[in-house]
Amino acid sequence: PVLSQAIAMPGWFSDHRRNMLRYAHMTATGVLVGTESNGKVEKALFGGPDVVFEPTEADLRELVEGLKLAGRIYLRAGARRVMPATFVYHEFREPDDLERLDEIVVDNSDIQLGTGHPQGGNALSASPERGVVDPDGFRVHGMHNLHLCDASVFPTSVKVNPQLTTMALAECAAPRIAATPD
């Protein structure tokens, strides 16, 4: 969508305007990478939940490698330029030029990050010391009527869109939850 593209589009003022005028000739790609388990959910500034995540050095390097791969694919397929969502405007016209991303993205302040698939944090375990959710009834340890069967019970990120895995988990969990005594 135009608004999403405008928000993610790198560059300021004249660069941004020039690129948005070419919106009909562009596409966007997100690079989804698994991360270490260091994210958390906190209260947002104006209430509600906020996902707080600071990528580790290894997470950032994996993201940069994914960006370089996506860029090479686009350029070899005929794209005239690739513009990663870095805060300082950069465009690349040759696949080999994408190697500069290692020098450009040195921490998370250099690139726009987002998530659509947070996973983990409420691991399944029969032991409350080792996990948050009992795998027999998908009940949160210590809670009477709170069950979880979403991607938060994964032990770690599965590194792909978790939709099918989550649906399979729900298929497994539903009869167990239904059979759990109140």
Side-chain angles (χ1 to χ4, degrees), residues 110-144:
D110 297 323
I111 190 150
Q112 183 183 57
L113 297 176
T115 183
H117 307 290
Q119 302 162 39
N122 294 314
L124 290 170
S125 177
S127 167
E129 290 80 30
R130 298 185 54 118
V132 177
V133 179
D134 182 350
D136 291 331
F138 287 78
R139 186 188 320 231
V140 174
H141 289 291
M143 303 300 288
H144 175 66

Side-chain angles (χ1 to χ4, degrees), residues 89-121:
Y89 182 74
H90 297 279
E91 61 180 49
F92 302 97
R93 296 180 184 268
E94 299 294 329
D96 290 343
D97 293 342
L98 289 158
E99 292 305 316
R100 291 185 24 234
L101 278 171
D102 290 316
E103 301 159 12
I104 293 167
V105 181
V106 295
D107 63 41
N108 68 328
S109 69
D110 297 323
I111 190 150
Q112 183 183 57
L113 297 176
T115 183
H117 307 290
Q119 302 162 39

Side-chain angles (χ1 to χ4, degrees), residues 44-119:
L45 182 61
F46 297 106
D50 185 22
V51 176
V52 178
F53 173 72
E54 180 90 19
T56 65
E57 180 65 26
D59 294 338
L60 205 55
R61 294 300 97 203
E62 189 170 0
L63 173 64
V64 168
E65 289 304 313
L67 289 170
K68 291 191 294 190
L69 176 60
R72 285 193 298 270
I73 291 169
Y74 272 122
L75 290 168
R76 289 185 180 142
R80 293 182 183 159
R81 60 191 171 142
V82 171
M83 301 170 297
T86 52
F87 289 118
V88 174
Y89 182 74
H90 297 279
E91 61 180 49
F92 302 97
R93 296 180 184 268
E94 299 294 329
D96 290 343
D97 293 342
L98 289 158
E99 292 305 316
R100 291 185 24 234
L101 278 171
D102 290 316
E103 301 159 12
I104 293 167
V105 181
V106 295
D107 63 41
N108 68 328
S109 69
D110 297 323
I111 190 150
Q112 183 183 57
L113 297 176
T115 183
H117 307 290
Q119 302 162 39

